[in-house]
Amino acid sequence: MVLPFSSVEIFSINISEKHELFRRAVREFMERDVAPYVEKGEREGNIPREVLEKAKEIGLYGIAVPEQYGGQGGDTLMTAIAQEEISRVWPSLSSRVSVGGLFMTPILLFGSEELKKKYIPPVARGEKVAALANTEPSAGSDVAGIQTRAKKVNGKYIINGRKIFITNGGIADYYVVTARTSPPDPNARWKGISMFVVEREWKGVKVLNRIETMGLRASNTAELAFEDVEVPAENLIGEEGMGFKYAMATFDRTRVGVAAQGVGVAQAALERMVTYATQRFAFQSPLISFQMVQEKIAESLTEVNTARLLTYWAASLFDRGLENEAIVAASMAKYYATEIAEKVAIRAITIHGGYGVATSTGVERLLRDVEVMKIYEGANDIQKLTILRETARRLLGLRL
């Protein structure tokens, strides 16, 4: 049997000078214009308007969106680089910006031209805030278990249900909402779910409460209710009953961005670790002169760069149109990068000692932030299942 990923041609990363110039621009923006707001924003649970406006000016909201729909026309790798650099400074801002991709991706992939023209440009330009409303109180990783209903009446869909842990939920202007249009098939539970574009101002759309989370505290996470919300038939994305497939295709593509967020957090933890170990003296020697500290730094250097390579590789596979390989690689990257970010953050805290757990230094925040990343857009345990099952199905022709 020929194992998947055994071809040398698959293992390439298409990074160019354009990508590096873009990285430099995003890094300069984050360090100059955003870094001064981070700690205050995290304490207050809010990203200042001036930061969001500046992010809009440099085009961070629609990097990979085609120019005809108001985006920058970039590629997946460029999006990953942006998410990495934003997360290196302020992961909450990365979450705020990236969730627009969860809204736009299913519309770009499966929506009508009318939906694309109406809803994509204002989100891609940062003029409107968007969210994906999929998770429910009783359905998280089990997407097929959602209970929200959409019933077609007189040419419209009437949506009733609740959604929870929705990033940007309390501030969004638009939502992509998943709902059941028919009961689940006992032999194929995924069937019967459809996907719709819903506007916040429509009657019956309610923000029930903001959910406080241990990390990404400046990111808005909310619980929503949809009570007899009337949705025009033309706001159905793609075909009725195909929403589960659309949601999976969306997560497959946006997952690379979460991996990049993990790389950004890991890089930030590594940099703080090295800086502190160089500047801090104990027993009349810098911490970096002690072998146990050197071990932590060496392990972190290796793992951070491995995670970056894996993430960039997954992004490059998407950009080259190798979807089967890319989907598996994206799950590998998301799982590995966020797990490594956790490890490196813990090492950074350990090297900092008491300063590592002091909220004033921001080191402990890196660990709190990455715990959220390990869960959203597919918990890491689910990624392990995806890696095996999708490798078997897509690359080996087996069903497990």
Side-chain angles (χ1 to χ4, degrees):
M1 177 183 291
V2 178
L3 293 175
F5 303 118
S6 59
S7 170
V8 174
E9 292 117 11
I10 290 176
F11 288 101
S12 65
I13 297 172
N14 306 324
I15 197 162
S16 66
E17 183 179 358
K18 181 180 178 181
H19 290 106
E20 287 305 321
L21 289 172
F22 177 71
R23 179 200 303 281
R24 205 170 304 149
V26 177
R27 177 168 290 197
E28 289 175 0
F29 162 71
M30 292 301 300
E31 292 181 345
R32 181 188 64 241
D33 298 325
V34 177
Y37 294 94
V38 174
E39 296 308 322
K40 182 174 184 289
E42 286 293 305
R43 285 196 306 271
E44 298 178 352
N46 181 52
I47 299 173
R49 174 56 53 186
E50 51 265 45
V51 170
L52 298 172
E53 286 298 318
K54 289 177 181 177
K56 181 168 66 175
E57 289 173 11
I58 67 171
L60 291 182
Y61 292 92
I63 294 169
V65 174
E67 293 182 20
Q68 69 188 96
Y69 299 119
Q72 305 301 309
D75 56 17
T76 309
L77 182 54
M78 191 172 287
T79 300
I81 289 170
Q83 292 304 319
E84 176 188 349
E85 292 299 329
I86 297 171
S87 296
R88 173 179 166 268
V89 175
W90 199 359
S92 288
L93 178 60
S94 176
S95 179
R96 168 69 180 269
V97 170
S98 66
V99 170
L102 284 170
F103 172 87
M104 292 186 285
T105 298
I107 299 175
L108 287 168
L109 289 176
F110 309 108
S112 66
E113 191 62 26
E114 290 72 21
L115 286 178
K116 293 175 186 177
K117 289 179 178 178
K118 182 176 181 180
Y119 292 106
I120 298 297
V123 176
R125 291 193 294 258
E127 297 165 357
K128 296 289 186 180
V129 180
L132 172 64
N134 181 66
T135 300
E136 298 186 0
S138 60
S141 297
D142 181 17
V143 176
I146 67 170
Q147 300 296 311
T148 297
R149 295 288 191 267
K151 183 178 181 181
K152 196 167 187 179
V153 179
N154 297 326
K156 295 182 179 180
Y157 290 91
I158 310 299
I159 296 181
N160 282 281
R162 290 174 66 180
K163 300 290 183 177
I164 199 167
F165 302 121
I166 307 304
T167 306
N168 285 359
I171 56 176
D173 300 291
Y174 306 143
Y175 304 98
V176 160
V177 180
T178 50
R180 281 209 162 273
T181 45
S182 62
D185 182 332
N187 298 316
R189 294 174 61 243
W190 64 268
K191 293 183 178 180
I193 295 173
S194 299
M195 190 174 270
F196 304 88
V197 179
V198 177
E199 298 186 21
R200 165 77 172 273
E201 65 182 20
W202 290 349
K203 183 180 179 181
V205 178
K206 298 179 179 179
V207 177
L208 297 181
N209 61 280
R210 179 171 177 174
I211 300 169
E212 299 298 330
T213 53
M214 68 179 289
L216 303 177
R217 289 182 175 174
S219 173
N220 185 287
T221 303
E223 182 176 8
L224 310 174
F226 298 88
E227 299 177 358
D228 292 327
V229 179
E230 294 187 6
V231 180
E234 56 266 28
N235 277 38
L236 171 70
I237 297 175
E239 299 178 32
E240 187 175 293
M242 292 297 291
F244 178 90
K245 296 286 188 181
Y246 299 163
M248 294 303 102
T250 297
F251 293 136
D252 287 339
R253 286 157 179 79
T254 60
R255 200 164 281 138
V256 175
V258 182
Q261 290 176 345
V263 174
V265 170
Q267 180 67 32
L270 174 60
E271 290 174 7
R272 295 194 183 200
M273 181 193 312
V274 172
T275 299
Y276 188 79
T278 303
Q279 297 175 349
R280 173 75 170 183
F281 276 65
F283 307 102
Q284 298 181 319
S285 298
L287 291 183
I288 201 167
S289 67
F290 297 101
Q291 287 186 347
M292 294 187 75
V293 173
Q294 293 173 2
E295 178 187 52
K296 290 179 175 61
I297 294 173
E299 289 175 343
S300 299
L301 279 165
T302 303
E303 292 167 346
V304 171
N305 283 295
T306 302
R308 180 176 290 111
L309 287 168
L310 186 54
T311 299
Y312 287 9
W313 174 54
S316 294
L317 288 171
F318 275 116
D319 289 335
R320 292 161 60 197
L322 299 172
E323 184 172 295
N324 287 333
E325 292 83 358
I327 287 171
V328 176
S331 285
M332 291 178 178
K334 194 271 183 182
Y335 151 65
Y336 185 77
T338 54
E339 294 286 339
I340 289 307
E342 179 186 57
K343 287 183 179 181
V344 179
I346 291 172
R347 291 181 192 132
I349 291 170
T350 301
I351 289 175
H352 278 77
Y355 291 106
V357 295
T359 57
S360 59
T361 65
V363 178
E364 53 82 37
R365 174 174 55 80
L366 297 173
L367 179 60
R368 289 190 286 104
D369 286 348
V370 81
E371 292 307 306
V372 181
M373 295 174 186
K374 288 173 59 183
I375 295 172
Y376 68 14
E377 292 196 45
N380 282 1
D381 282 350
I382 295 295
Q383 298 315 307
K384 296 175 187 177
L385 297 177
T386 300
I387 291 165
L388 179 59
R389 291 174 181 175
E390 293 302 302
T391 296
R393 183 173 73 89
R394 293 175 179 271
L395 304 177
L396 297 177
L398 303 173
R399 285 194 174 274
L400 298 179

